[in-house]
């Protein structure tokens, strides 16, 4: 296991250490039936997969007690959020789950160390794959129009990082999602070495 990210909070850093991720290998299938009150006793039947239980085990490190409490609060905030995603990477394979919060426990063992256990449930137990893509454009003049196709099965919530190596008259960037037709327009007098980060999951745009 190389990387564990819960709602954009990386749990595999110098501050947050993940020791294990436990989860159900398979989920139960729920079958529901309702007998229709008529002579042939016909039934209405529905079937769906049950939830997948996921437990993240790890610990938090800090230099001081106040810093430890601040980092614990950040982990709580990430765990309590709605519409959460959990990304777990093993080697070159990443699985992403839509998860809901169930429970979080802390055991403070010292002034700068605390272990934690986070319990989550995934209503779609199979998880999703992801992909990334990088492109370099040089000596472009006029309008630049490029289309990217994202592989994988996860609902796209990409992060775009745009680096302006050099420019003469770059004042607008448009990012469009062709399926829905939604467009994000950035209007700014961009300069050489500007870095624009568009995080569609957090709905934030950062310049430099």
């Amino acid at each position: 296991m190389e990387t564990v990210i819960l709602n954009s909070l990386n749990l595999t850093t110098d501050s947050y250490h993940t020791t294990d991720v436990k989860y159900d290998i398979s989920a139960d299938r729920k079958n529901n039936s309702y007998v229709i009150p008529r002579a042939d006793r016909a039934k209405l039947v529905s079937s769906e997969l049950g939830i997948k239980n996921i437990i993240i085990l790890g610990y938090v490190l800090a230099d001081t007690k106040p810093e430890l409490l601040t980092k614990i609060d950040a982990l709580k905030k990430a765990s309590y959020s709605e519409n959460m995603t959990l990304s777990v990477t093993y080697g070159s394979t990443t699985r992403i789950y839509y998860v809901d919060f169930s429970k979080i426990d802390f055991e403070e063992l010292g002034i700068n160390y605390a272990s934690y256990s986070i319990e989550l449930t995934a209503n779609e137990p199979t998880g999703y794959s992801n992909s990334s893509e990088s492109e370099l454009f040089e000596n472009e003049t006029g309008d630049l129009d490029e289309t990217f196709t994202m592989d994988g099965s996860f609902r796209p919530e990409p992060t775009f990082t745009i680096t302006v190596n050099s420019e003469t008259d770059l004042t607008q960037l448009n990012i469009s999602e062709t399926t829905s037709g939604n467009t994000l327009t950035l209007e700014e007098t961009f300069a050489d070495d500007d870095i624009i980060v568009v995080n569609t999951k957090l709905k934030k745009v950062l310049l430099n």
Side-chain angles (χ1 to χ4, degrees), residues 120-175:
L120 308 167
T121 58
N123 292 321
E124 300 175 86
T126 54
Y128 295 88
S129 59
N130 70 343
S131 68
S132 63
E133 185 168 345
S134 178
E135 296 286 345
L136 174 64
F137 307 110
E138 296 181 314
N139 301 321
E140 299 288 348
T141 60
D143 294 338
L144 174 63
D145 187 0
E146 292 291 335
T147 300
F148 302 94
T149 300
M150 296 183 182
D151 298 322
S153 55
F154 183 64
R155 182 180 66 198
E157 293 178 324
T159 297
F160 298 93
T161 301
I162 303 169
T163 302
V164 182
N165 295 322
S166 63
E167 61 78 42
T168 55
D169 189 23
L170 179 60
T171 58
Q172 181 171 304
L173 293 171
N174 295 317
I175 300 175

Side-chain angles (χ1 to χ4, degrees), residues 55-66:
I55 300 176
I56 304 174
L57 302 175
Y59 56 92
V60 185
L61 289 179
D63 293 328
T64 63
K65 185 72 170 185

Side-chain angles (χ1 to χ4, degrees), residues 51-136:
I51 64 174
K52 185 185 191 80
N53 296 303
I54 302 174
I55 300 176
I56 304 174
L57 302 175
Y59 56 92
V60 185
L61 289 179
D63 293 328
T64 63
K65 185 72 170 185
E67 182 184 352
L68 178 65
L69 295 177
T70 298
K71 291 179 178 178
I72 288 176
D73 286 341
L75 183 55
K76 289 180 180 179
K77 184 178 179 180
S79 302
Y80 296 157
S81 302
E82 297 179 353
N83 302 317
M84 294 192 298
T85 57
L86 173 67
S87 172
V88 183
T89 300
Y90 294 88
S92 60
T93 302
T94 298
R95 302 302 293 171
I96 302 176
Y97 301 91
Y98 294 109
V99 294
D100 295 315
F101 171 77
S102 293
K103 182 181 179 182
I104 184 170
D105 287 322
F106 289 93
E107 181 181 351
E108 294 190 23
L109 302 179
I111 61 172
N112 63 348
Y113 174 95
S115 61
Y116 62 80
S117 170
I118 305 172
E119 297 182 21
L120 308 167
T121 58
N123 292 321
E124 300 175 86
T126 54
Y128 295 88
S129 59
N130 70 343
S131 68
S132 63
E133 185 168 345
S134 178
E135 296 286 345
L136 174 64

